[in-house]
Amino acid sequence: MSGDNPPRFVLASPESEFYWRSGADGRLRIQRCGECSRWVHPPGPACPFCHSRRVGPEPVAGTGTVATYTINRKEWIPGFTPPYVFAFVELDEDPTVRIGTNIVDCEIEEVEIGMRVEVLFEESGEWHVPLFRPAVTEGT
Amino acid sequence: MSERMERRAVISGAAQSEVGRRLYRTGIDLTVEAALRAVEDAGLTTADIDGVSTYPGFGGSFGGAMGAELHEALRLSLNWRSAGVETAGPLGAVHNAILAVATGLARHVLVFRTVVEGSGGPLRPGSGGGGGGGMAGSAGPFQFMIPYGAASAACWVACYARRHMHDYGTTRSQLGAIAVNGRANAVANPKAIYTDPMTIDDYLAVRMVSDPLCLYDCDVPCDGSTAVVVSHRDYAPDAPAGAVGVNAMGTAIRGRPSWDQFDDLTSMMMRHTAASMWERTELTVDDVDTAQLYDGFSWLTLAWIEAMGFCGKGESGAFVEGGVNIGPDGSVPLNTSGGQLSAGRLHGFGHLHEAVMQLRGAANIQVPGCEVVAVGAGGGPETGCLLLTKGPS
Ligand SMILES: [Zn+2]
């Protein structure tokens, strides 16, 4: 995406609000179970594995792998100027934690399945929207 | 095999309203047209109708009419009515009707799906549509996709198509075979939206929408209503156009109910839905004479072909390439009325209607000796299917 940031239309729930605020300190957080230690995404009111209510946000490294992606050539939402990449990123802590996101800070042709990426945040009003870019802080 | 309750039901009538790109008619107007035709087709009067079932009904952001509207418009006297969007896809309305008939709650259920998407507004946050009924304007699961400009099911399906291409070598030309096949069949369908000839080169040359999906990978929004009458099988001998049997229905949703969190990025919920259908029948995929498989996006049809077992996992690209296997003379004639890509987004009910016509021997492109049809509708986590037969099962 080029130019001004697109309108992000974040509509957080009480369970997910932390996700959209987490980047204020530069860290991505994912919900984790305090009983069985499994990661849970999207966040919910209880652990879907052991049903413990003791769930809460916990920082993750913010690194992962592009599982798949699309290059949008159509302006699906006014303000999202094509072309832009929408991707599913699987986090290193648990690849079943799959995050929808945009891949930025690279040419769209560079994006590929298996690409290593790291999180960055875009401020949008009161929110810090997690985006991903090619991993620069690790060797390939 | 123990008794399958769905076999107590038949489809005794089927009809469509006028279908067009933009008709500027109300949803209930189209619904009444289709409903009255379907009741007549079934050899019944509205006094015989004691049940109504529809998808998505009230609150469904892409519905064309509510069940209660039809109830009132025809001043029906009902023993049972049901409408909802949290079903096994749009065919869930048919599943529900079958269950109502099988359990004796109703004897003749009018089932409809109406769309007014052609003359409806464009897709934007808050307007729903595109497979994400109620997706925006709430903090539900779509909150993780809307902020990234992934506002249409096209964006989500494109991600699956990309991974399928990556893992199995599926090509755009193979994907295009679905669109080209649909267009060729649409020519014989007087209600189809697009009937101009299309070649694979035309397909490859058209603009991309959500790469790897191009414009011709996406179905065409339209206005129209499809209605069927689901009756008790006792009525089958009296159905003037011939009753279509319900052999098995597929409803399973064994994976995560999510467009983005499903465990396998090269298949969708139809994998479970189709498996559950085959678990309920002694028929096999080899018995299927024609398949009417959802093509809201062309890749969804590939996913359905694999889920139904017409080929192995990952082999659907090669299976459809060149269109021979899926053509009218192929091993599995597919979407013989044009599907949604060319005949319009009737949301699975166009496929259902065509299945009934094939089993009556009344299709525009008739598969000779057609006795078993597989119908699958929906994508993502919202999928359902039916195995239908000529005469009661
Ligand atoms: Zn737990």
Side-chain angles (χ1 to χ4, degrees):
Chain A
M1 278 159 286
S2 55
D4 297 337
N5 292 334
R8 292 296 181 177
F9 297 113
V10 172
L11 287 160
S13 65
E15 287 87 6
S16 70
E17 193 176 323
F18 79 86
Y19 181 82
W20 300 107
R21 295 192 188 283
S22 182
D25 67 356
R27 305 291 302 275
L28 180 66
R29 286 169 178 79
I30 298 293
Q31 190 179 66
R32 193 173 198 184
C33 177
E35 296 291 335
C36 74
S37 298
R38 298 280 294 267
W39 299 95
V40 178
H41 186 78
C47 172
F49 305 104
C50 75
H51 302 161
S52 168
R53 309 280 291 189
R54 207 155 64 79
V55 290
E58 191 166 310
V60 292
T63 51
T65 304
V66 173
T68 187
Y69 67 98
T70 177
I71 302 169
N72 287 294
R73 301 281 182 183
K74 177 183 166 73
E75 188 179 57
W76 290 109
I77 297 176
F80 276 83
T81 307
Y84 61 96
V85 175
F86 172 74
F88 293 146
V89 168
E90 294 176 348
L91 291 190
D92 287 347
E93 282 80 359
D94 179 352
T96 69
V97 173
R98 190 183 292 150
I99 292 176
T101 190
N102 297 129
I103 307 296
V104 298
D105 290 356
C106 66
E107 298 300 319
I108 56 172
E109 292 79 12
E110 293 174 40
V111 178
E112 58 184 15
I113 291 172
M115 181 184 197
R116 296 287 301 154
V117 289
E118 64 184 20
V119 74
L120 70 159
F121 298 94
E122 180 182 291
E123 280 192 61
S124 179
E126 60 186 307
W127 312 113
H128 287 73
V129 176
L131 307 177
F132 283 77
R133 66 186 171 201
V136 294
T137 56
E138 61 184 45
T140 47
Chain B
M1 186 171 285
S2 59
E3 190 204 357
R4 295 309 192 195
M5 195 177 274
E6 58 263 52
R7 297 184 190 176
R8 296 180 188 171
V10 296
I11 296 174
S12 60
Q16 288 180 323
S17 71
E18 178 187 14
V19 176
R21 186 80 173 90
R22 289 185 182 84
L23 298 177
Y24 299 107
R25 292 173 56 185
T26 64
I28 187 60
D29 179 31
L30 294 165
T31 304
V32 165
E33 181 186 351
L36 291 176
R37 285 182 183 171
V39 171
E40 183 181 11
D41 183 66
L44 300 168
T45 72
T46 54
D48 298 309
I49 299 297
D50 61 353
V52 163
S53 178
T54 190
Y55 173 105
F58 177 80
S61 60
F62 54 118
M66 287 163 49
E69 286 180 272
L70 183 65
H71 184 172
E72 171 65 9
L74 300 181
R75 212 60 66 90
L76 301 170
S77 177
L78 304 178
N79 292 318
W80 178 84
R81 193 182 77 211
S82 170
V85 70
E86 283 198 60
T87 52
L91 292 180
V94 184
H95 296 153
N96 289 343
I98 290 166
L99 292 174
V101 166
T103 54
L105 287 173
R107 181 164 173 79
H108 298 289
V109 179
L110 192 47
V111 189
F112 70 91
R113 172 72 172 112
T114 302
V115 290
V116 286
E117 296 185 329
S119 46
L123 190 70
R124 62 171 60 92
S127 74
M135 68 180 180
S138 74
F142 297 104
Q143 68 169 295
F144 297 99
M145 299 205 272
I146 301 300
Y148 301 104
S152 165
C155 311
W156 321 329
V157 174
C159 287
Y160 283 77
R162 168 91 58 193
R163 184 64 183 259
H164 197 271
M165 290 174 166
H166 175 271
D167 288 8
Y168 300 115
T170 311
T171 66
R172 285 198 61 223
S173 291
Q174 292 172 341
L175 201 52
I178 300 294
V180 170
N181 176 71
R183 181 62 58 89
N185 291 339
V187 172
N189 176 358
K191 291 189 174 179
I193 306 294
Y194 293 138
T195 54
D196 290 342
M198 181 202 294
T199 67
I200 197 71
D201 290 333
D202 295 332
Y203 168 89
L204 292 171
V206 80
R207 67 183 167 87
M208 300 300 283
V209 172
S210 281
D211 191 332
L213 300 185
C214 68
L215 184 64
Y216 294 154
D217 289 311
C218 307
D219 63 359
V220 51
C222 70
D223 299 345
S225 178
T226 308
V228 300
V229 179
V230 174
S231 300
H232 192 279
R233 65 180 290 148
D234 291 350
Y235 181 69
D238 300 317
V244 164
V246 180
N247 185 269
M249 55 189 202
T251 59
I253 42 177
R254 292 164 185 159
R256 289 180 72 177
S258 169
W259 284 87
D260 53 330
Q261 303 295 329
F262 195 67
D263 64 342
D264 179 3
L265 285 171
T266 63
S267 70
M268 288 177 166
M269 197 66 85
M270 65 278 278
R271 184 179 97 208
H272 300 298
T273 308
S276 70
M277 184 184 82
W278 293 120
E279 289 162 11
R280 298 183 65 79
T281 180
E282 62 289 336
L283 296 176
T284 73
V285 68
D286 293 331
D287 294 312
V288 175
D289 296 305
T290 171
Q292 308 298 325
L293 302 177
Y294 195 73
D295 57 345
F297 299 97
S298 55
W299 185 81
L300 296 177
T301 316
L302 293 190
W304 271 111
I305 287 170
E306 293 181 16
M308 284 283 181
F310 292 113
C311 64
K313 179 97 161 68
E315 297 172 357
S316 58
F319 183 78
V320 304
E321 186 167 12
V324 174
N325 284 334
I326 58 174
D329 301 319
S331 56
V332 188
L334 175 74
N335 294 347
T336 43
S337 63
Q340 295 187 182
L341 294 170
S342 286
R345 181 188 157 79
L346 295 166
H347 209 205
F349 273 57
H351 297 79
L352 174 65
H353 182 269
E354 173 65 6
V356 172
M357 294 304 123
Q358 287 287 351
L359 289 164
R360 288 178 178 178
N364 292 309
I365 298 176
Q366 181 63 45
V367 174
C370 183
E371 294 188 349
V372 179
V373 182
V375 188
E382 298 146 8
T383 56
C385 52
L386 290 163
L387 194 64
L388 303 176
T389 56
K390 185 180 185 70
S393 278

